[in-house]
Every structure is written in C-alpha cells, then in structure tokens.
Amino acid sequence: MPTAASPAATAPGRLRRLGCAAAIVVLLGSAAMAPYSLPSAFAADGDPGGTTAAPAAEQQVRTAEAASGLAIDLSVEAAAEQSASTTGGDEESPKDALYTLEQFMFSGAVAWGGYKFTFYSEQVLPGPGLQIPGRHVNAAGYVSDEDGYIVLAGDAPKGTVYETPFGYPGKIYDRGTVGNHLDVYIR
C-alpha cells in the first residue's frame, strides 16, 4: 500500500534539484555572457571584431600598494618614454616576435621551445645589483643589456643565452627559477 511521502523525506531531493537548476542557470548565464566579455577585453578603437589587444594606455596593474598611492604603469607609452631616456633606447621593435609584450603580460606565462616564460617588472623589483652592462629598456619594453639580450632569470649559469619567442635572445643575469622556467625582466 503506497504511503504519502513525508516533507522531511522529499526535502533533500528538492534541494538537490534546486541546486542543479541553479548550477545550470549560472553555467548558461556565463556561456551566454562570454561573447560579450571576451571581445571587450581585446577591443581596440576601430576594431569591431575585437581581434587586437586593447590600447596599452588602458592596461595598468594595480597592486596592494596602489591603495597607498603607488601604481605600476605597464603601458607601452611609459616604456617608450623610459627607453628614450636611458641608454640603448634606439633599438627597433622585433619583427619576428611570436608574442608582443602586451600578449605576454595578458597570458601571464608562455610555453615555448620546451621552456615556461614568466615575467617580472623592474618597477616592482629594480635589481640594481644585477650588474647588467648597458642596462636599458628596449623599444619593445624588455630590460636589455648593451648587446640587445633581454634579461632572464633562471638556474643556468649566468651568461647562458636562450632563444625566446619575444623577438630577442635572452641572457641569464639573475636567479629565482628552476628547471625549464625562465623569468623575463620587463619595464
């Protein structure tokens, strides 16, 4: 003989169905909004398809120190001004770079040639003790030496040269990573 289900017996089932429905609504809402949020992250003036990076002047990183008035300006214009005022700022931007500095910064890490490239800014970690001859910020925004090598940190012997996907070869001047992980020193 069938009995009526008690409210206590159906509550977990209702909660489970309600949780599933909520998860589906969130998933579908995220999927529906994704086409609107991703192009706006890449949209540039006059680029309705959103296929190029946003203007570099709009790209700034704010840190906890920003609340106290310190902000890190990672715009291309700031690098151009800085490289023009330092030695060696007359280098041309690389034509064969697989990644621009902006693309590199947006992704946070690049896997290429069996290596993982990450970056750190000289504005956060000035590193005057690195003793880089002819140290300057090149036209693309990378900290470079007098020979045009971009500055890398890794566990290989100092002076070891690596090819990079950024249009310039890199040279080890610092420590801080191990194995196939290389840090690239940027403006």
Side-chain angles (χ1 to χ4, degrees):
M1 132 165 115
T3 60
S6 70
T10 60
R14 285 184 185 157
L15 286 176
R16 210 171 298 134
R17 285 191 300 265
L18 181 61
C20 289
I24 290 171
V25 167
V26 169
L27 178 65
L28 292 176
S30 298
M33 295 306 293
Y36 299 107
S37 60
L38 192 56
S40 66
F42 287 100
D45 293 324
D47 182 21
T51 58
T52 59
E58 296 175 354
Q59 297 178 2
Q60 276 193 343
V61 174
R62 301 228 180 248
T63 63
E65 292 85 19
S68 66
L70 297 176
I72 301 169
D73 182 8
L74 297 178
S75 66
V76 171
E77 289 82 10
E81 290 171 13
Q82 184 173 0
S83 67
S85 66
T86 59
T87 61
D90 56 351
E91 296 173 25
E92 289 187 25
S93 295
K95 306 278 187 278
D96 58 345
L98 298 176
Y99 297 90
T100 65
L101 180 59
E102 287 72 31
Q103 291 168 330
F104 182 28
M105 291 169 46
F106 182 79
S107 67
V110 168
W112 180 84
Y115 293 94
K116 175 183 176 183
F117 293 90
T118 56
F119 63 88
Y120 62 98
S121 171
E122 74 171 353
Q123 293 179 9
V124 174
L125 186 60
L130 295 179
Q131 300 176 359
I132 302 167
R135 175 186 172 146
H136 65 281
V137 177
N138 69 18
Y142 298 97
V143 175
S144 299
D145 67 9
E146 64 189 1
D147 297 322
Y149 291 102
I150 60 176
V151 176
L152 301 176
D155 64 353
K158 289 185 179 181
T160 303
V161 174
Y162 291 90
E163 289 300 316
T164 72
F166 311 113
Y168 303 96
K171 186 184 283 186
I172 299 288
Y173 278 100
D174 198 6
R175 300 282 176 245
T177 64
V178 293
N180 66 344
H181 181 184
L182 298 170
D183 265 339
V184 180
Y185 210 32
I186 65 169
R187 56 178 156 70

